[in-house]
Amino acid sequence: MMGRVLSSDLLKIRRKGLWLLAVSGPFGIVALQALNFGIRYDYLTKKYADDLWGGLIENIALLVPVTVLAGVTLISSLIANVEHQTSSWKQLLALPVPRTAVFAAKFLLSVILLGVSCALLAWGTAALGVALGFGWDFPAVKILKISFLPFLASLPFLALLLWMSLTVRNQAAPVAIGLLAAVCSLFAGQLPEFVPLAWPLLAAGPPSGLRLAVGGGVLLGALILLVGAVHFERRDVD
């Protein structure tokens, strides 16, 4: 049943710019680092002479948390706006489909879009390193880690912002909260490890905080998703 709802949602987002948004995030990160290494190639290759791939991955990892949180914010809001702008909630919820399936399908659609972004970032990182002359022996595990794990650590924000976006017609509050979190993530290194805002950065960094960041992100995200689904099931949506 949820599969049919998801198929319907995929059709609804055609020509809504969501796929373009999913592509623009990783493209922006890779383009910025291409410019960075292109302008300062001699300096950076000398600085990271012992591990050229490690230097590239380190520079890309710094941009991933803020980009992921901004992407989570915009994608969750735009998915909700597909229903808000057409005032189709009453028609949608009148169908013989559980509200929880509707809510879960929206979440799964968000995960698909952001998962595509993560995959494109991994591909773009490898392609950039090869283009810069770092060789074909790229560290695939490290590239996949910085591409996907910050997103898993950001699942609490996705669940929360999607919940807010679906239940509130005015998107100003969820978008403001999400973008503020994205900006604050630039300084997340100063936060204690148990603060969720620090988790995307921890997930992209050293292994020491990896288990807490990813495990905490998945568990807290599942909890918020469950609470949001229960609330969505009981609440009237305009």
Side-chain angles (χ1 to χ4, degrees), residues 201-214:
L201 184 61
L202 286 174
S208 56
L210 188 60
R211 184 175 299 178
L212 172 62
V214 176

Side-chain angles (χ1 to χ4, degrees), residues 5-44:
V5 180
L6 178 61
S7 298
S8 175
D9 284 341
L10 285 168
L11 290 174
K12 288 179 183 178
I13 66 170
R14 292 177 62 185
R15 300 191 181 95
K16 297 294 183 180
L18 280 157
W19 288 111
L20 178 61
L21 180 61
V23 171
S24 63
F27 176 80
I29 291 177
V30 173
L32 282 173
Q33 288 308 320
L35 183 63
N36 180 31
F37 274 80
I39 293 175
R40 305 193 298 161
Y41 186 83
D42 292 337
Y43 168 74
L44 291 174

Side-chain angles (χ1 to χ4, degrees), residues 190-206:
Q190 311 300 321
L191 297 173
E193 290 187 355
F194 61 83
V195 177
L197 187 57
W199 293 349
L201 184 61
L202 286 174

Side-chain angles (χ1 to χ4, degrees), residues 86-102:
T86 57
S87 299
S88 59
W89 278 118
K90 290 184 179 180
Q91 295 91 330
L92 176 61
L93 298 178
L95 297 174
V97 177
R99 286 189 174 201
T100 51
V102 173

Side-chain angles (χ1 to χ4, degrees), residues 15-188:
R15 300 191 181 95
K16 297 294 183 180
L18 280 157
W19 288 111
L20 178 61
L21 180 61
V23 171
S24 63
F27 176 80
I29 291 177
V30 173
L32 282 173
Q33 288 308 320
L35 183 63
N36 180 31
F37 274 80
I39 293 175
R40 305 193 298 161
Y41 186 83
D42 292 337
Y43 168 74
L44 291 174
T45 52
K46 183 178 180 180
K47 179 180 179 180
Y48 300 115
D50 294 335
D51 186 6
L52 293 174
W53 277 105
L56 175 62
I57 290 171
E58 178 184 329
N59 279 270
I60 285 180
L62 293 174
L63 301 175
V64 174
V66 62
T67 307
V68 167
L69 289 172
V72 161
T73 302
L74 297 176
I75 283 177
S76 59
S77 178
L78 288 172
I79 286 176
N81 260 337
V82 172
E83 309 296 347
H84 289 312
Q85 290 178 348
T86 57
S87 299
S88 59
W89 278 118
K90 290 184 179 180
Q91 295 91 330
L92 176 61
L93 298 178
L95 297 174
V97 177
R99 286 189 174 201
T100 51
V102 173
F103 189 87
K106 303 289 187 188
F107 181 80
L108 184 56
L109 177 60
S110 304
V111 170
I112 290 172
L113 287 165
L114 290 160
V116 169
S117 290
C118 295
L120 289 174
L121 177 61
W123 179 87
T125 301
L128 176 59
V130 171
L132 289 172
F134 297 168
W136 286 90
D137 55 338
F138 51 84
V141 173
K142 289 183 178 180
I143 291 174
L144 291 173
K145 172 189 169 184
I146 65 161
S147 300
F148 284 92
L149 295 190
F151 168 54
L152 294 179
S154 301
L155 286 178
F157 295 95
L158 174 59
L160 176 62
L161 293 172
L162 182 65
W163 175 16
M164 293 179 64
S165 297
L166 291 176
T167 54
V168 179
R169 179 179 289 273
N170 188 342
Q171 297 296 292
V175 170
I177 291 172
L179 294 181
L180 179 62
V183 172
C184 291
S185 70
L186 295 171
F187 313 100

